[in-house]
Amino acid sequence: MAEPSPASASSDSSTLSWKKRRLPTVASLRRAALQGKGEESGAPATVAGWLAGRRSSGRLLFLNFRDGSGFAQVVVFRKAVSSEAFEAARHCPLESAVEIRGAAFAEPRAPGGMELRATDFRVIHAAEPYPITPKEHGASFLLDRRHLWLRSRRQHALLRIRDEVLFAFREYLRDQGFICGDTPIFTPNACEGTTTLFETQYFDRHAYLSQSGQLYNEAIAMSVGRTYCLGPTFRAEKSKTRRHLIEFWMLEPEVAFAELGEIVELAEGLICHAVDRVLTNRAAELATLDRDPERLRRIQPPFPRITYDQAAARLAEKGTDFTLGDDFGAPDETALTEGMDRPLVVTHFPAAIKAFYMEPAPGRPDRVLGMDILAPEGYGEIVGGGQRIHDHDLLRERVREHGLPEEAFGWYLDLRRFGSVPHSGFGLGIERFVAWMSGISHLREAIPFPRTLYRLSP
Ligand code: 4AD
Ligand code: MG
């Protein structure tokens, strides 16, 4: 622990305002100040938070203050506060917890249009020297200190955009008659192939961490019709790219009686709703991240749809070294969406490169009713899904062909024995979506504590 600063030593903590009542926030003060006319009429208020930055020019200190709801410029004028408060504001280390009394005024020159003029400043907890300084730090330095890095203005914005996206997805699905059914993380089955399974001990048995909630969603859909799950999924992918995480969150809707076209439309509506919510409610955060909102405004339905074979032909025209029959790599996805302002829907993939459960295309048994949605600007696949096999015997054949243990899939095959109907669904990768909305280049900043090939801490 650092030595307490003179101010915290002298202040009786029981008199600190944050202990007594709910304080106004930077966000609420900004709203009030911006609604006023900007005349010198700010009502006195106390806020509690952290000292995020400081500049001084003689008798004036400009503090960057963060209280969780946002950041505010605080001006401490030597003559407006006690000398003890001025010294505390001038010297207390960055990231100290502080309480500031003052009045908020509209100030066009201040970031966010509001400025808090201090009349008192107190230290709640003096920080030790803060390791993250305004100079440029490398990614690994920052990731080692992810627990502190989250406090930066940029990470604050990303956390809020992620929250907005998750809320918008839930809101949209609820409006469309979906209910959230949760799916297990410990599973005995592989959903997306056996090469990326995380095996773990389950008492005296082996279990896997879930790659996808889909198989369980299919069971829930046969009960409630329209369901979704939203949670962490795990892939032991040895690929070290900016688009892969080992633990990532997925939103997975599943719809009984729906065919491929219907869930493409569902995905389109869902994506556009979330884009709209981010634009409406997170404009300030987009500005913090230098994300041009015009790019997001152009994401409108309908999204163009092409088949895998058309996509392959397009890649051949572009002269990429893609081979027909292969899955698209990141460079292929980027080439396919080049110059596009909205996502591209690709359907009818070769059965050989897709999961065992995909419904064959009518009249084209070598193609399946799968769909991927590729985001523009190089973000690549954000959605993967399709129509599921609903015929019992065909599904059992596929389980065998894929070398999957039939015992573990008994319950899944059961769904095709009792009132089986065509059904479809998809998975949307939350971090890929958030990265795209935010315009960031690497998925690791789209989740508070990223798990990547070489990183398990903090
Ligand atoms: O295409 P995927 O593997 O599809 C499924 O898991 C289906 N069972 C989902 C379903 O139909 N219910 O994954 C879906 C999405 C991808 O489009 C991508 O956005 C994301 O999940 N994703 C990843 N995100 C980050 N890191 C990874 N390693 C990811 N793998 C997939
Ligand atoms: Mg996929």
Side-chain angles (χ1 to χ4, degrees), residues 99-140:
E99 189 178 282
I100 300 173
R101 188 158 178 76
F105 294 94
E107 169 51 70
R109 286 167 301 177
M114 184 270 280
E115 161 180 286
L116 193 67
R117 296 179 195 154
T119 54
D120 198 8
F121 180 97
R122 290 199 263 177
V123 177
I124 297 167
H125 176 259
E128 295 180 28
Y130 195 59
I132 302 177
T133 60
K135 69 164 191 180
E136 287 273 314
H137 293 289
S140 112

Side-chain angles (χ1 to χ4, degrees), residues 192 235 327 354 371-372 381 383-385 432:
E192 293 303 316
R235 306 260 172 110
D327 208 349
K354 287 290 178 188
M371 64 112 169
D372 278 5
E381 185 195 325
V383 166
R432 291 211 187 151

Side-chain angles (χ1 to χ4, degrees), residues 191-192 211-215 217 229 233-235 237 239 243-254 354-355 357-358 371-373 380-386 388 424-433 443:
C191 179
E192 293 303 316
Q211 297 168 305
S212 159
Q214 178 197 322
L215 307 187
N217 271 341
C229 65
T233 47
F234 308 85
R235 306 260 172 110
E237 297 197 81
S239 47
R243 301 202 322 204
H244 287 89
L245 293 171
I246 302 302
E247 178 178 317
F248 65 96
W249 279 56
M250 204 175 5
L251 174 78
E252 298 183 81
E254 191 70 32
K354 287 290 178 188
Y357 51 70
M358 295 228 180
M371 64 112 169
D372 278 5
I373 299 185
E381 185 195 325
I382 46 167
V383 166
R388 327 303 191 184
S424 305
F426 62 83
L428 181 153
I430 299 298
E431 290 76 20
R432 291 211 187 151
F433 192 86
L443 251 52

Side-chain angles (χ1 to χ4, degrees), residues 151-165:
R151 302 179 183 197
S152 76
R153 191 185 268 273
R154 175 183 163 89
Q155 301 306 319
H156 183 267
L158 286 164
L159 285 166
R160 285 188 182 273
I161 289 173
R162 182 184 170 102
D163 169 75
E164 191 67 39
V165 163

Side-chain angles (χ1 to χ4, degrees), residues 169-215:
F169 285 155
R170 287 191 185 273
E171 180 180 57
Y172 186 80
L173 290 173
R174 180 177 250 245
D175 275 358
Q176 298 286 317
F178 283 75
I179 68 141
C180 177
D182 294 317
T183 55
I185 285 174
F186 283 122
T187 69
N189 335 61
C191 179
E192 293 303 316
T194 48
T195 53
T196 62
L197 282 174
F198 261 111
E199 195 166 339
T200 177
Q201 203 65 30
Y202 195 76
F203 303 110
D204 57 351
R205 274 173 294 170
H206 292 292
Y208 306 108
L209 299 185
S210 176
Q211 297 168 305
S212 159
Q214 178 197 322
L215 307 187

